[in-house]
Amino acid sequence: LLEDRYSLQNGVCEESISAFILFAYFQMFLTQSLESGRQWRNIAKDMLEEAAKGTVTTSAPRFLLFAFVNIWYVPLQESINHLQVTEDMSLKLGDTDRAYMAQSMKFRFLFFRGEKLSILSHDIETNLQSMARFSICCAKYCVLDKEMIDSLTGDKSSNPYGVLDGIIRNKQSLLADAQSKMHFQIVEAVHLQNFFLSFWMGDYEEAAKASDRAMSFPTSKMPKVQLIYHIFYRGIVMFHLYREGKGEKYLEEGNKMQDQVQTWVKNSIPIFENKLVLLEAEHYASMGNVVAAKESYELSVELARDNGYVHEQGLAYECMGKYLMSIVEISESERCFLYAHKCYTQWGAMAKASKLWKDWNLGLSKGRIEHSTIKHQRDE
């Protein structure tokens, strides 16, 4: 606050803009309220726009704003665009470390936004070697993201750990290295990667364990893009495990995750609405409210599609398919799984799509649905 007051009295500079952004960030973190951080974020954004008209260097505050604060209020694509500008600006200024920080964060945002995985994998592959040369810390995070993408696409030929000078050869050695150096944010990132991958590949029990490990770190509640998707996916995991008979505590935890997303949605409907509606569908399914569950699943599909989140559209179809199968609406369930498979294929998650196809025997399902459609047309 002292620096903020000094900044207001003495004009705009890089440090003063950063002070407002950090104040917004810690308001969000300490109060767990996005609304309290919004006004400081708006002030910082206005200051950045004013500074851009003059000669004030703004790469540092730009990175802070668009990597950690702006994501809670605007669609990810807007933050991605700003991170690209920050990367270019930092390179022109010779600030390679910040340039690669912006690039690494941009890649992560693209993944969560649902970028075509083959394109994203290629872009990371192209830049990972130089990133490791100039910013080994950024490279470690990016290697984890690349490994997750490779697992989803089914690419077994890539070895992203090869850029880490042979010292760190796999995820286990990365975790051991981070633990020995007390780099707890990297330790958390490893557990989060395990969670996200287990979630997408349908191993919800392992996902729950990885989620619990990640949430044991104080950094887990700090505002960052992973937090959004950790809470969202964790809610789905908890409701699913409750319906599998694992116990009431999973329903309670699922409700907590739903309540958290509910507090976020008013700040950015395009980011959070489809996620909240899918969690509501999972809640209704857990409560045995068939009509409300179906309506919410269908609405979540529509909202994900309208916002261009093909991976989350697939996720909504998959969740709906599992629920319909549990209430023995077989044909509609199979249709949902086939739609989910199509979405995952469009996303480029071929290993995920293949697993879904095998788990639910969709080859037979497709044949039955096509036969039923032909028969229906003949009857008409």
Side-chain angles (χ1 to χ4, degrees):
L1 268 176
L2 288 174
E3 187 169 354
D4 292 340
R5 292 191 188 117
Y6 179 84
S7 302
L8 289 171
Q9 294 167 0
N10 294 277
V12 173
C13 66
E14 186 176 28
E15 290 78 8
S16 66
I17 303 172
S18 296
F20 277 100
I21 297 168
L22 288 171
F23 190 71
Y25 181 81
F26 282 103
Q27 278 288 300
M28 292 159 55
F29 174 53
L30 295 172
T31 65
Q32 293 293 295
S33 168
L34 298 186
E35 199 57 45
S36 62
R38 180 187 287 275
Q39 68 179 76
W40 298 100
R41 170 256 185 189
N42 290 341
I43 292 171
K45 188 169 180 291
D46 290 343
M47 292 172 73
L48 268 178
E49 291 172 356
E50 187 65 29
K53 300 174 184 177
T55 58
V56 177
T57 302
T58 60
S59 58
R62 283 185 67 88
F63 174 74
L64 289 172
L65 179 64
F66 298 117
F68 297 105
V69 176
N70 221 44
I71 54 174
W72 300 91
Y73 306 103
V74 300
L76 276 179
Q77 185 59 53
E78 182 176 323
S79 294
I80 290 165
N81 295 342
H82 283 295
L83 283 170
Q84 182 64 62
V85 172
T86 304
E87 179 187 342
D88 296 340
M89 179 187 295
S90 299
L91 284 173
K92 287 179 182 178
L93 293 169
D95 188 352
T96 53
D97 192 51
R98 183 163 287 108
Y100 284 112
M101 288 166 66
Q103 185 183 77
S104 175
M105 200 67 73
K106 178 189 70 178
F107 289 147
R108 186 168 303 139
F109 285 15
L110 283 165
F111 172 77
F112 285 118
R113 193 210 60 182
E115 177 72 11
K116 181 79 171 178
L117 292 180
S118 58
I119 296 173
L120 182 55
S121 178
H122 176 267
D123 289 347
I124 295 176
E125 185 90 37
T126 301
N127 291 279
L128 196 51
Q129 191 74 52
S130 57
M131 183 185 293
R133 188 162 63 249
F134 289 102
S135 180
I136 193 69
C137 185
C138 289
K140 289 175 180 178
Y141 288 108
C142 220
V143 160
L144 284 170
D145 291 341
K146 179 67 165 62
E147 182 183 47
M148 178 167 58
I149 293 166
D150 290 344
S151 297
L152 288 170
T153 60
D155 182 1
K156 297 180 180 179
S157 63
S158 173
N159 176 27
Y161 291 93
V163 304
L164 300 179
D165 298 329
I167 300 171
I168 297 171
R169 299 181 179 181
N170 52 41
K171 185 161 52 181
Q172 289 70 33
S173 59
L174 175 60
L175 179 60
D177 178 74
Q179 288 172 329
S180 68
K181 296 174 181 176
M182 294 192 290
H183 291 169
F184 296 123
Q185 287 180 312
I186 292 180
V187 176
E188 182 201 352
V190 171
H191 293 311
L192 280 175
Q193 191 241 44
N194 287 334
F195 167 71
F196 290 134
L197 190 53
S198 297
F199 171 80
W200 278 114
M201 298 310 289
D203 188 348
Y204 283 1
E205 290 194 34
E206 184 56 40
K209 294 175 186 176
S211 176
D212 288 343
R213 285 192 288 268
M215 293 192 89
S216 69
F217 293 91
T219 54
S220 67
K221 294 182 180 179
M222 296 184 73
K224 52 185 178 289
V225 71
Q226 298 100 309
L227 179 62
I228 296 171
Y229 294 89
H230 187 188
I231 296 298
F232 173 37
Y233 299 156
R234 181 177 169 87
I236 293 172
V237 167
M238 294 298 134
F239 284 128
H240 179 86
L241 292 177
Y242 169 73
R243 294 202 300 277
E244 284 197 337
K246 303 298 183 182
E248 290 290 327
K249 69 177 183 178
Y250 291 98
L251 176 62
E252 293 172 5
E253 189 66 13
N255 288 337
K256 285 182 185 177
M257 300 303 102
Q258 181 183 336
D259 290 344
Q260 181 63 77
V261 177
Q262 178 74 65
T263 66
W264 293 340
V265 72
K266 62 183 178 181
N267 290 282
S268 181
I269 288 175
I271 298 174
F272 298 111
E273 187 179 23
N274 74 295
K275 299 169 180 60
L276 176 61
V277 172
L278 183 52
L279 288 175
E280 288 174 344
E282 290 289 295
H283 171 81
Y284 290 135
S286 300
M287 294 294 96
N289 191 334
V290 176
V291 174
K294 287 182 178 180
E295 289 176 351
S296 293
Y297 281 126
E298 290 169 357
L299 179 57
S300 180
V301 167
E302 292 174 11
L303 291 169
R305 182 195 62 219
D306 292 347
N307 284 288
Y309 305 146
V310 68
H311 57 324
E312 292 178 16
Q313 184 182 353
L315 177 59
Y317 271 129
E318 182 182 0
C319 289
M320 187 176 183
K322 288 177 180 177
Y323 174 62
L324 292 175
M325 187 66 73
S326 74
I327 60 174
V328 204
E329 294 192 15
I330 308 298
S331 61
E332 287 306 308
S333 171
E334 290 174 337
R335 287 181 191 275
C336 286
F337 287 137
L338 286 168
Y339 284 133
H341 181 271
K342 182 178 180 181
C343 290
Y344 291 144
T345 301
Q346 289 175 351
W347 185 28
M350 305 311 294
K352 166 65 180 176
S354 178
K355 187 174 187 303
L356 187 75
W357 188 273
K358 291 176 183 176
D359 287 349
W360 297 102
N361 205 4
L362 296 183
L364 287 176
S365 300
K366 187 177 181 182
R368 281 195 296 267
I369 289 170
E370 288 174 348
H371 176 76
S372 175
T373 301
I374 293 169
K375 183 177 184 300
H376 177 69
Q377 289 172 346
R378 285 175 178 170
D379 290 344
E380 289 180 339

